[in-house]
Amino acid sequence: MYDVTALGELLIDFAARSADGAGYPTMAANPGGAPCNLLAALSAYGCRTAFLGKVGDDVFGRLLVNTLREAGIETSGVVLDAGVFTTLAFVTFSAGGERSFSFARKPGADTQLRFDELDLALIDGCRDFHFGTLSLTDEPARTATQKAVARAKGQGKWISFDPNLRTPLWQSPAQAREAMLWGLAQADIVKISDEETSFLWGDVSPEDAARRLHEAGAAAAFITLGARGCYYSLRGDGGFVAAPAGIRPVDTTGAGDIFGGSALSRLLKTGRPLAGLTCGDMQAAARFACCAASLSTQAPGGMSSVPAEGDVLALVARTYP
């Protein structure tokens, strides 16, 4: 039995580290992909995890599969395909530290995953099935994702969802919005950023955004607020959790994914069914996730920046005595 099986993208993140006089950056390669960053956090915090996805049968694809194994993530559901290249993402930073994304994904291996290639036993044998929107941008991965979600829902699995909006990958904002709203309608547990709630609904408060998420069908919602922390809500009962003070970010790549995996790990560790979760469980999960995500920003990359559980718990104790 796996605690979480995730489906989606596994890719290489190239992050700008410096630039020459003409502005061309020197890039550092890191393993990435939102679902796998989430699984790496879950694995680090004691959960059994598995991944369904596709990479190229190339140097980067094989490196990525090895990285998942080293992180304790089951890789039997990863397809290596010699006919497509492993997807590459390029992250550059403005003078103010804002990130911009470019992708080598036309097509990338992750978009070419077919439903008949999925190891369905990894869905059948999990407690929670997780997905995001990047696997909904293109066929055949879109149909594979939709069918996988339907299978998991039909078996009564928890469904967790992170929109992970990347506008350059969509043909239009309307298409992205449609996919995000479809995902929200499937989910029991949602992690979403304030930037994503603004994209969907304009200038709404976290409380109003949570209300809309519950109306869409989510029982539990975490709305991340950047340096301000997060707002959590369980069927309309929620509150704010402040981010720990004194953290100086080096690289925010994957911090939202690590938040999601950290929060989900705490909910799973309660051992309670979805209907039995309490507001106290949500607050504890939000506190742990805020601290894990904050600590992750002090190291580069996504999967490679998951902090040790002991360090997170120590920060929780100092921040929320």
Side-chain angles (χ1 to χ4, degrees):
M1 169 68 77
Y2 295 96
D3 293 300
V4 181
T5 294
L7 181 151
E9 70 277 8
L10 175 59
L11 49 81
I12 297 289
D13 275 324
F14 285 94
R17 293 288 176 251
S18 61
D20 63 18
Y24 290 97
T26 298
M27 313 292 284
N30 291 292
C36 293
N37 294 336
L38 174 136
L39 291 178
L42 283 155
S43 293
Y45 305 140
C47 294
R48 293 195 64 206
T49 63
F51 179 64
L52 295 164
K54 179 179 281 193
V55 294
D57 191 2
D58 50 39
V59 171
F60 282 134
R62 291 187 289 273
L63 274 172
L64 287 166
V65 173
N66 286 335
T67 297
L68 294 192
R69 291 194 186 109
E70 290 171 358
I73 300 167
E74 174 59 51
T75 62
S76 61
V78 182
V79 178
L80 280 84
D81 188 338
V84 284
F85 285 109
T86 298
T87 299
L88 309 177
F90 299 88
V91 187
T92 54
F93 301 88
S94 70
E98 296 298 319
R99 295 179 299 165
S100 296
F101 292 86
S102 302
F103 294 87
R105 194 181 185 241
K106 296 181 179 179
D110 67 296
T111 69
Q112 301 305 296
L113 181 68
R114 304 189 311 271
F115 182 73
D116 62 66
E117 294 176 307
L118 299 185
D119 182 351
L120 298 178
L122 297 180
I123 299 175
D124 298 345
C126 74
R127 293 176 62 192
D128 174 271
F129 180 77
H130 180 83
F131 73 109
T133 59
L134 266 65
S135 60
L136 297 170
T137 60
D138 298 273
E139 291 291 358
R142 180 187 301 119
T143 294
T145 303
Q146 293 168 340
K147 289 184 175 181
V149 171
R151 185 181 183 96
K153 284 179 71 71
Q155 296 183 10
K157 311 296 184 183
W158 289 10
I159 306 295
S160 58
F161 175 65
D162 180 352
N164 191 34
L165 177 64
R166 296 289 179 262
T167 51
L169 294 177
W170 296 94
Q171 294 180 9
S172 69
Q175 185 191 43
R177 187 174 188 275
E178 180 182 4
M180 291 170 71
L181 292 174
W182 179 85
L184 293 175
Q186 313 308 311
D188 302 304
I189 302 169
V190 174
K191 176 263 158 189
I192 190 170
S193 72
D194 54 351
E195 293 178 351
E196 289 160 344
T197 61
S198 294
F199 175 83
L200 287 172
W201 302 305
D203 186 17
V204 297
S205 68
E207 295 93 333
D208 189 36
R211 177 183 60 78
R212 293 170 186 252
L213 294 170
H214 295 315
E215 288 175 351
F222 296 94
I223 301 168
T224 57
L225 308 171
R228 294 181 294 144
C230 79
Y231 181 81
Y232 65 88
S233 181
L234 180 68
R235 294 180 284 273
D237 187 8
F240 287 89
V241 167
I247 303 294
R248 297 179 179 176
V250 172
D251 183 354
T252 60
T253 301
D257 310 323
I258 291 168
F259 179 103
S262 302
L264 188 54
S265 77
R266 299 301 105 173
L267 297 183
L268 288 163
K269 281 179 177 292
T270 67
R272 288 191 265 275
L274 192 66
L277 292 176
T278 69
C279 201
D281 295 331
M282 291 288 290
Q283 183 188 62
R287 288 176 170 180
F288 184 85
C290 278
C291 289
S294 295
L295 288 174
S296 78
T297 67
Q298 297 185 307
M303 278 183 262
S304 55
S305 69
V306 177
E309 186 171 24
D311 293 339
V312 180
L313 292 172
L315 184 58
V316 169
R318 293 197 303 271
T319 305
Y320 316 107

